[in-house]
Amino acid sequence: MKLSFQDYISIKIHQTDLNLTKFIKSKLEDFNLAPEQNLIMMLLWEKDGLTQNQLADQLDKDKTNIARMASNLEKKGYIYRAHPKEDRRSLMLFLTDSGKELGEQVIPVAEEFNDIVCKGISSEELVELERLLTKINQNVQEQ
Amino acid sequence: MKLSFQDYISIKIHQTDLNLTKFIKSKLEDFNLAPEQNLIMMLLWEKDGLTQNQLADQLDKDKTNIARMASNLEKKGYIYRAHPKEDRRSLMLFLTDSGKELGEQVIPVAEEFNDIVCKGISSEELVELERLLTKINQNVQEQ
DNA sequence: CCCCAATAGTTGCTATAACAACAATTAATT
DNA sequence: AATTAATTGTTGTTATAGCAACTATTGGGG
C-alpha cells in the first residue's frame, strides 16, 4: 500500500517542531538568545556550574553542539567557563550577572510560550500526547 | 509557577523529531539520500515536474532550502532542472532514470520506517496524536 | 511602450544537529 | 611507574532551517 505524503506521522511531528522553533525564536529575539542556547540557560538558571558533558547528557545532544553553543553564550556575556581543579578536562558553566538578570526576563516568556502552545489542550490530552511521543521514541530507539 | 525542564511539551516534540530524523537518516544512508532530500524525492515520485516554488509550498519550507537541496539532488544525479518556456523564472524538477530507480528502492524503506514508528499505536491513537499536533500548530500560528 | 509590482531563484549569513578525527587529561592495568 | 583505556572538549565537514539582499523575469497601470 503506497502511503501519500500526509500519512507520515513523522512529517507532521517535524512540521510541528519547526513551527514551535520559529515561534520561540521570535519570542527570544529581543534577548539575543537562540532557542537552543536558551535551553542551556534554562538548565543553568535551575542549577549553576554544570559541565558541558552534563549538559550534553541532559539535553540529549552531541557534545559538539553544546561546546559551540556554550562558546556563543560566553561571547554574549551570559556565562563564563572554568576548568574545575579536580578534573581539568571538564569545563563548568557559570552564569554572569548579565546571565542571571536575563533569567528573570526570559523565564516568564518561556512559560507564556508554553501556555500559548497548550491553549485548549486539557491536561489529560497533554499526558496522552506525551505518552504517544514516548512510545514513538521507544520504537525508533529499539532499532 | 516555575516550570521545570521536562514540563515543556515543545521540548518533548523536539526530541522526538530529532530521534526520528536520526533514525530515517541511518535508513537512507545507503541510498546517498539525506532525510529532507528524500522528502523532495517523495513528492517527485508522486508527481514529476514540480517547480521549486511548488515544492516550497508543499513542504512548508523556505525557498532557499529547496533551492539548495534541489541543487544537491542534481549533483547526485537523481534529478535535472529546466526552466519552462512559459515562465523562465521558474525551475521545474524532473527525475532522471537513476532517480526513478531510486524510488523503487526507497519507497518500501520509507513505509517500513513508518511501520516501525507506529508500532503499538492504534489508528485511533494516531488520529488523536495528529489532532493534538494540529491544535499546537494552530496555537503558535495564530500569533 | 515604459516604469513599477510581484514573482522565482540564488547567494550570504547565522544557528542548530550529528559524525569523524584529534588533543589533553585522567583512570586502569600490568 | 609506564603503557594503555577512557573521558572531555575542540575542530572540520555535511545537512538542515530561516532571514535579508540581490538578480532575472513577468505582469500591470499609466
Side-chain angles (χ1 to χ4, degrees):
Chain A
M1 165 218 40
K2 193 167 171 183
L3 290 178
S4 133
F5 206 69
Q6 303 75 20
D7 301 327
Y8 289 92
I9 189 68
S10 54
I11 292 175
K12 185 94 186 182
I13 292 172
H14 186 56
Q15 293 298 352
T16 307
D17 180 39
L18 290 181
N19 283 329
L20 285 166
T21 301
K22 193 192 293 190
F23 183 41
I24 188 66
K25 188 179 169 191
S26 71
K27 289 249 169 194
L28 292 174
E29 226 152 39
D30 298 335
F31 304 106
N32 191 25
L33 254 192
E36 298 295 323
Q37 291 167 9
N38 181 48
L39 293 190
I40 292 181
M41 294 303 288
M42 299 254 294
L43 286 175
L44 293 181
W45 289 324
E46 281 189 5
K47 181 172 157 46
D48 211 20
L50 296 169
T51 67
Q52 294 191 179
N53 205 43
Q54 290 172 320
L55 288 165
D57 267 358
Q58 291 197 44
L59 293 174
D60 193 27
K61 283 191 198 311
D62 195 274
K63 54 189 177 164
T64 318
N65 307 319
I66 303 296
R68 289 189 174 118
M69 290 189 274
S71 165
N72 282 333
L73 287 171
E74 201 173 40
K75 280 179 200 155
K76 291 179 180 180
Y78 295 144
I79 63 165
Y80 63 94
R81 294 189 283 180
H83 291 282
K85 288 176 190 168
E86 322 83 69
D87 187 344
R88 300 216 312 278
R89 292 170 303 183
S90 300
L91 261 184
M92 292 171 81
L93 275 65
F94 298 97
L95 295 166
T96 61
D97 288 344
S98 162
K100 286 174 192 165
E101 277 172 37
L102 188 72
E104 288 166 29
Q105 295 180 280
V106 168
I107 289 173
V109 172
E111 298 190 349
E112 182 202 355
F113 162 75
N114 194 58
D115 289 343
I116 292 170
V117 168
C118 297
K119 200 172 59 185
I121 300 177
S122 70
S123 41
E124 292 79 21
E125 287 172 326
L126 215 51
V127 168
E128 176 72 354
L129 176 54
E130 278 173 19
R131 187 182 70 78
L132 292 170
L133 292 175
T134 301
K135 177 70 180 158
I136 288 175
N137 273 300
Q138 286 167 353
N139 283 345
V140 298
Q141 280 172 349
E142 273 167 13
Q143 297 302 310
Chain B
M1 167 220 34
K2 193 168 172 185
L3 288 179
S4 133
F5 206 69
Q6 302 76 19
D7 301 327
Y8 288 94
I9 190 68
S10 55
I11 292 176
K12 184 95 186 183
I13 292 171
H14 185 55
Q15 292 298 351
T16 307
D17 180 40
L18 290 181
N19 284 329
L20 286 166
T21 302
K22 194 191 292 189
F23 183 41
I24 189 65
K25 188 180 170 191
S26 71
K27 290 249 169 195
L28 292 174
E29 225 152 40
D30 297 337
F31 304 106
N32 190 24
L33 254 192
E36 297 295 324
Q37 290 168 10
N38 181 49
L39 293 190
I40 293 182
M41 294 303 289
M42 300 253 295
L43 287 175
L44 294 181
W45 289 324
E46 280 188 7
K47 181 171 158 46
D48 212 18
L50 296 169
T51 67
Q52 294 190 177
N53 206 43
Q54 290 172 320
L55 287 166
D57 267 358
Q58 292 198 43
L59 294 174
D60 193 27
K61 283 190 201 310
D62 195 275
K63 54 188 178 166
T64 317
N65 306 319
I66 303 296
R68 289 188 174 119
M69 289 190 274
S71 166
N72 283 332
L73 287 171
E74 201 173 41
K75 280 180 199 156
K76 290 179 180 179
Y78 294 143
I79 65 164
Y80 63 94
R81 294 187 286 179
H83 291 282
K85 287 175 191 166
E86 319 87 67
D87 187 344
R88 299 217 314 280
R89 291 170 302 180
S90 299
L91 261 184
M92 291 171 80
L93 276 63
F94 299 96
L95 295 166
T96 60
D97 289 344
S98 161
K100 286 174 191 163
E101 279 171 36
L102 188 72
E104 289 167 28
Q105 296 180 279
V106 169
I107 290 172
V109 172
E111 298 189 349
E112 183 202 353
F113 161 77
N114 194 58
D115 289 343
I116 291 170
V117 169
C118 297
K119 199 171 61 183
I121 300 176
S122 70
S123 40
E124 292 79 21
E125 288 172 325
L126 216 49
V127 169
E128 176 71 357
L129 176 55
E130 278 171 17
R131 187 182 68 78
L132 291 170
L133 292 174
T134 302
K135 177 68 181 161
I136 287 175
N137 273 300
Q138 287 168 352
N139 283 346
V140 297
Q141 280 171 350
E142 273 168 13
Q143 297 303 310

